[in-house]
Amino acid sequence: MKEHDLIKIIKDYTKSEYLGDDCAYLKDLGIVVTQDNFVENVHFKREWATPFQIGYKAAAVNISDILASGAEPKYITIGLSMPDLGEDFVKEFYRGIEAGSYGAKVIGGDITGANEIFVSITAIGSTVGRKISSRKNAKPEYVVISRGKYGESSKGLQELIDGKRESEFIKAHLEPKLDVEFSKNIALNIREDYAMMDTSDGLADALFQMAKASKVTIKTNYIEGMFGAEDYHLAACVPNWKNKEDIIAYVYPFDGAYLQIDNKRYSNYDDLGLYNHFER
């Protein structure tokens, strides 16, 4: 089973109108909510990452979804299951949590014993004064904007696999930097509906997902690293943008493929060849 097949089953079964984006937008409460798990030997290895880095990335991957919605990170709760690794591990882990929360406050959680480390974080963002995104809001004549270099995290992961333990790419993989100002600028200044996602599963993934949800075609030239994962940049489909250097793609009416990279067209997500949690 593929991850997207599982998500479709859950959507069909629950019939919840809140499923579809990485954050649930609870308009009546003025918040967005997201949850991500961070699992030892799936998302990280202890021999590769310090306790600080484990905590930092566990928090950052959730805050990234809040930023992708356009909301302001406010609160997190932490479910932590782990072996007895000692007081210093816990202190450093929570120091990492603080750094990776980008101003969001820890307000609760749960802790249990386990054979391996398992972190589950719920993050809450405020929507006050902000226009909130949805991946289904890309429209023809919009432009796609993004900042940052792609592929650095994937290079860092490969270096870790190859036995290296320190480099700029490894740091990009273990301590991804989030662009809070980019998210804030869009959410405070764009009044029209817009689409935005983080690129945790790759830039190619984000472009395809927004195009499919919006029933449009996104066309771009090949960008180095766009099929790599875990860069945690933001990609947004917006009606206009002053800084032309940020424009990486264009949105068109649907013409039979959701994504076109140079002359190669993708109408099926599986053709992208991206990572699938259930094919390991």
Side-chain angles (χ1 to χ4, degrees):
M1 177 180 290
K2 293 182 171 61
E3 185 177 356
H4 288 275
D5 296 330
L6 182 58
I7 292 171
K8 185 179 185 305
I9 291 171
I10 295 170
K11 282 183 181 180
D12 291 345
Y13 182 79
T14 61
K15 296 179 173 59
S16 172
E17 69 273 25
Y18 295 103
L19 302 182
D21 289 300
D22 290 320
C23 283
Y25 177 23
L26 306 182
K27 191 172 183 179
D28 55 328
L29 301 181
I31 61 173
V32 297
V33 181
T34 189
Q35 180 177 359
D36 267 313
N37 298 329
F38 200 56
V39 182
E40 185 174 1
N41 295 319
V42 175
H43 300 102
F44 69 93
K45 292 181 181 290
R46 260 184 274 168
E47 60 265 35
W48 292 355
T50 66
F52 172 89
Q53 289 169 331
I54 295 170
Y56 176 93
K57 193 168 182 180
V61 299
N62 284 272
I63 298 302
S64 182
D65 284 339
I66 298 293
L67 297 179
S69 77
E72 177 187 6
K74 295 294 287 186
Y75 306 107
I76 64 171
T77 64
I78 305 167
L80 173 61
S81 299
M82 58 177 280
D84 184 357
L85 298 175
E87 183 177 317
D88 288 343
F89 179 95
V90 175
K91 287 179 178 179
E92 280 298 294
F93 174 83
Y94 275 90
R95 189 171 72 88
I97 287 284
E98 182 179 17
S101 296
Y102 286 80
K105 300 298 182 183
V106 177
I107 59 170
D110 186 31
I111 187 166
T112 67
N115 293 326
E116 295 183 331
I117 300 170
F118 180 94
V119 188
S120 184
I121 291 180
T122 297
I124 299 169
S126 171
T127 69
V128 176
R130 296 185 177 221
K131 184 75 172 178
I132 300 303
S133 77
S134 173
R135 64 178 66 179
K136 67 177 181 295
N137 285 340
K139 295 178 173 57
E141 298 185 8
Y142 276 24
V143 296
V144 184
I145 57 174
S146 188
R147 294 177 182 169
K149 294 180 180 178
Y150 283 94
E152 292 190 340
S153 179
S154 294
K155 289 177 183 177
L157 175 58
Q158 188 58 54
E159 288 182 347
L160 287 167
I161 292 170
D162 292 341
K164 196 170 182 178
R165 291 295 175 264
E166 188 174 338
S167 77
E168 61 176 311
F169 297 133
I170 289 174
K171 188 166 185 179
H173 179 70
L174 297 176
E175 300 176 47
K177 301 304 179 187
L178 308 184
D179 198 340
V180 176
E181 289 305 313
F182 186 71
S183 169
K184 180 179 178 181
N185 189 15
I186 293 171
L188 291 180
N189 293 298
I190 293 180
R191 294 296 90 195
E192 298 90 341
D193 289 340
Y194 68 96
M196 184 158 64
M197 287 181 63
D198 76 6
T199 61
S200 55
D201 291 325
L203 175 59
D205 165 86
L207 297 179
F208 188 97
Q209 299 279 15
M210 289 188 288
K212 184 173 182 181
S214 303
K215 299 179 176 60
V216 297
T217 296
I218 292 177
K219 297 182 180 182
T220 185
N221 296 322
Y222 176 77
I223 298 169
E224 184 179 358
M226 69 186 302
F227 288 91
E230 297 195 77
D231 288 303
Y232 291 97
H233 302 314
L234 298 173
C237 301
V238 296
N240 53 68
W241 196 250
K242 290 182 179 179
N243 190 349
K244 303 304 181 184
E245 292 182 357
D246 293 338
I247 298 174
I248 62 167
Y250 298 87
V251 184
Y252 297 88
F254 182 69
D255 65 2
Y258 295 112
L259 178 61
Q260 181 173 324
I261 302 173
D262 294 328
N263 293 321
K264 188 165 184 179
R265 292 160 56 81
Y266 298 88
S267 56
N268 188 321
Y269 181 84
D270 293 340
D271 292 341
L272 294 172
L274 301 173
Y275 178 76
N276 174 31
H277 273 281
F278 298 95
E279 288 183 349
R280 297 191 305 131

